[in-house]
Amino acid sequence: MSYLLTVDQSTAGTKAMLTDREGRIRHRCSLAHRQIYPRDGWVEHDPLELYGNVKAAIRSVMDQAGIGPDGVAALTITNQRETALIWDRETGLPIANAIVWQCRRTADWCEGRKREGLEPLVLSRTGLPLDPYFSAGKWSWLLEHEAAGIPVERLAAGTIDSWLIWKLTGGQVHATDYTNASRTQLFNIHTLKWDEQLADKLGIPLSLLPEVKDSDAVYGMTDEPELFPVPKPIAGVIGDSQAALFGQQCTRPGMAKGTYGTGTSVLMHTGDEPVKAGHGLVTAIAWGIGGRVEYALEGVIRSTGDSLNWVRNELGLFKDHAELEAAAADIPDTGGVYLVPAFVGLGAPHWNARARAAIIGLNRSSDRRHLLRAALESIAYQVADAVRLLSAETGLPLSELRVDGGATANELLMRFQADLLNAEVVRSEAAELSALGSAYMGGLALGWWDRNDLFSFYRKHKSYSPGMDGETRERLNRGWQAAVKAVLAAEEASREG
């Protein structure tokens, strides 16, 4: 049997998965990597560790399936999107650790570009605000602080997909896809080219940037003999959130998905033309297939699954997710406790990189169960805020939200999400929708399937219907909005002080 081998390189770890011709993931392997926090608000990954884990995960999943290289038809790649790095083409080494999308070190750089009046230009051409979340400021920081003494012509910049493609092809291919390029603040989503004026104003030489291709393109052939003695095509490259949108088969305007990962991306397909973003949303390229680009609108939430990790790892309030759900379900509500998880700032609809997390509404009877439930519910509140914005900006009402990611296994969270949205929440049979979306792209490239075939691959596991009365929904939402306002007011007061 021949498989598509997908590398899913996410914020928390690297997965390798094998997908068969029926569009099902048959084997999987996962390896975690270090989260590096050099200073307050800084987050890094070691690119060499990431690539080492990619190779180890590929070997492991092939061993698990009992196949050799002949059993792999092609490699596909999906990745954390805005994380950025620069490497030396001659040595093959990164000049420093990759700067993760969560990192806030470029907040001052973004504020400086705003004072120069550049944000309207960046927003109009890229669909993105000037925010530390995106890649351009990260590359600018690396060039200023880590590139001394290296001629610029030796340097290559990229997001994680570009780094993996470059390494897997033995340094022969420097490329990315439309979805990843569109998260950099340097890619014009209207002309579908790197924007020379933006690159100049933001201080990024165009010579550093990768070639941009369709998501279903063949990017090159592997040159990694220890994995594949015979070269294999690399095809199906797409950023993880857009990959999940495609994996969920949200391919018509108004269809939306939420991917519950370290952060959460809520994406709504908007059609063949970009919809102007506003009120904390960003315009996104959904994918490029066969020379045709489609668009989406996105609400980016910075901390969801990572909030649960904080409650577990730093506070020690639960050991596993079964314990979390049982403890949270042991009480009817949070007792007025809200966790606003601005650990790396707030995303949509606020886009405030300097906001700090807070627990609000504690009283003497509050205990660990209330904190655990508040952490879970904070995910649903943020997703509901994003969905309401998407519907308001597009004029497209949401009939259902298709969901994926680790946290969707939590029944309490999914029921609460449906209640807050007052809409159906549908969980896919497959948990790894980003990997599936990437595999589907690779299968299109190889001619395994056409787009009509893919509709039959969507398999619903469970639906959650709303059951909360409108008065309760409104009361809970008022409490959440008041908690967020308190966090934003505290951030404003700290700046003025």
Side-chain angles (χ1 to χ4, degrees):
M1 176 178 283
S2 185
Y3 295 97
L4 292 166
L5 196 162
T6 297
V7 172
D8 181 355
Q9 203 298 297
S10 71
T11 310
T14 298
K15 298 175 185 176
M17 299 177 222
L18 293 170
T19 301
D20 65 17
R21 282 182 175 265
E22 295 178 348
R24 293 182 184 272
I25 294 173
R26 294 299 185 182
H27 303 276
R28 53 183 60 76
C29 170
S30 180
L31 295 172
H33 57 257
R34 291 175 299 147
Q35 307 296 314
I36 303 168
Y37 305 103
R39 299 186 193 177
D40 180 35
W42 291 29
V43 191
E44 297 177 356
H45 291 156
D46 178 350
L48 296 177
E49 180 186 9
L50 298 186
Y51 186 61
N53 281 3
V54 164
K55 292 194 294 182
I58 288 173
R59 292 190 199 98
S60 178
V61 79
M62 290 172 64
D63 288 345
Q64 181 190 126
I67 62 170
D70 290 345
V72 174
L75 271 69
T76 83
I77 296 173
T78 184
N79 60 287
Q80 51 171 318
R81 296 174 298 174
E82 299 81 6
T83 297
L85 72 157
I86 294 176
W87 63 92
D88 186 328
R89 298 175 191 266
E90 287 191 9
T91 67
L93 297 174
I95 64 172
N97 281 338
I99 303 177
V100 178
W101 56 270
Q102 297 169 306
C103 188
R104 296 201 307 257
R105 77 183 67 183
T106 59
D108 289 340
W109 181 89
C110 292
E111 291 300 322
R113 304 296 81 73
K114 288 179 183 179
R115 288 192 295 271
E116 293 170 9
L118 288 180
E119 186 163 52
L121 180 66
V122 173
L123 191 59
S124 67
R125 296 189 182 181
T126 71
L128 308 176
L130 272 169
D131 188 272
Y133 188 92
F134 304 105
S135 307
K138 298 172 174 50
W139 287 328
S140 177
W141 190 94
L142 288 167
L143 288 171
E144 180 180 353
H145 295 276
E146 302 289 352
I150 307 175
V152 70
E153 58 269 18
R154 275 176 45 186
L155 298 177
T159 43
I160 295 298
D161 60 311
S162 296
W163 167 245
L164 297 183
I165 292 167
W166 194 84
K167 292 292 287 181
L168 286 165
T169 60
Q172 300 302 306
V173 179
H174 184 208
T176 189
D177 90 304
Y178 284 117
T179 66
N180 282 290
S182 72
R183 310 300 290 189
T184 63
Q185 296 172 321
L186 298 171
F187 190 75
N188 191 313
I189 61 173
H190 308 283
T191 65
L192 303 180
K193 296 179 180 179
W194 295 115
D195 193 292
E196 186 173 354
Q197 185 181 13
L198 285 180
D200 180 62
K201 289 184 176 295
L202 298 180
I204 312 296
L206 283 176
S207 63
L208 269 64
L209 302 177
E211 180 185 0
V212 184
K213 298 187 176 188
D214 281 334
S215 307
D216 68 337
V218 175
Y219 281 68
M221 305 297 289
T222 61
D223 185 6
E224 183 61 271
E226 64 180 277
L227 292 176
F228 302 105
V230 176
K232 299 290 180 179
I234 298 174
V237 176
I238 183 169
D240 54 9
S241 189
Q242 282 92 333
L245 188 73
F246 197 66
Q248 292 276 22
Q249 285 299 286
C250 293
T251 56
R252 296 186 298 274
M255 297 183 73
K257 69 87 198 175
T259 298
Y260 295 64
T262 301
T264 291
S265 163
V266 184
L267 266 176
M268 178 179 282
H269 191 284
T270 59
D272 296 333
E273 298 293 332
V275 173
K276 185 177 180 181
H279 303 97
L281 299 175
V282 298
T283 306
I285 290 179
W287 44 70
I289 297 177
R292 175 171 166 257
V293 163
E294 297 170 40
Y295 293 89
L297 204 58
E298 182 174 14
V300 173
I301 303 166
R302 297 174 189 242
S303 186
T304 51
D306 199 40
S307 306
L308 303 181
N309 292 340
W310 176 77
V311 172
R312 180 187 61 197
N313 299 338
E314 272 60 57
L315 299 188
L317 295 186
F318 72 97
K319 293 180 180 178
D320 57 40
H321 287 280
E323 181 184 354
L324 166 66
E325 182 157 14
D330 194 41
I331 51 176
D333 54 47
T334 68
V337 177
Y338 292 89
L339 168 63
V340 183
F343 296 104
V344 288
L346 287 172
H350 311 288
W351 280 111
N352 188 318
R354 299 181 186 275
R356 295 298 186 99
I359 299 169
I360 292 172
L362 291 170
N363 60 59
R364 188 59 187 85
S365 63
S366 301
D367 60 32
R368 66 182 278 271
R369 297 171 300 169
H370 297 91
L371 289 178
L372 291 176
R373 185 157 183 142
L376 270 178
E377 291 188 358
S378 73
I379 298 173
Y381 282 118
Q382 293 179 99
V383 169
D385 283 349
V387 168
R388 281 191 288 268
L389 269 174
L390 289 168
S391 292
E393 291 294 304
T394 62
L396 299 169
L398 181 80
S399 59
E400 68 174 22
L401 181 69
R402 295 185 175 185
V403 299
D404 58 272
T408 62
N410 190 293
E411 295 280 323
L412 187 152
L413 173 60
M414 292 295 98
R415 290 195 299 270
F416 191 68
Q417 187 71 82
D419 285 340
L420 286 185
L421 290 173
N422 197 27
E424 204 82 9
V425 171
V426 181
R427 194 169 89 204
S428 167
E429 179 185 279
E432 301 95 347
L433 268 298
S434 294
L436 272 182
S438 173
Y440 291 169
M441 288 291 179
L444 291 176
L446 297 187
W448 276 22
W449 312 300
D450 61 31
R451 290 190 67 171
N452 290 327
D453 295 327
L454 299 180
F455 286 116
S456 66
F457 289 172
Y458 178 73
R459 302 172 180 100
K460 179 170 70 174
H461 174 68
K462 191 169 184 179
S463 292
Y464 301 86
S465 300
M468 183 180 287
D469 64 87
E471 183 179 342
T472 301
R473 183 183 304 110
E474 180 58 30
R475 175 177 56 80
L476 292 173
N477 188 57
R478 282 198 306 270
W480 166 254
Q481 299 301 335
V484 173
K485 286 179 182 177
V487 165
L488 293 173
E491 187 277 324
E492 185 177 354
S494 71
R495 279 192 289 115
E496 292 176 351

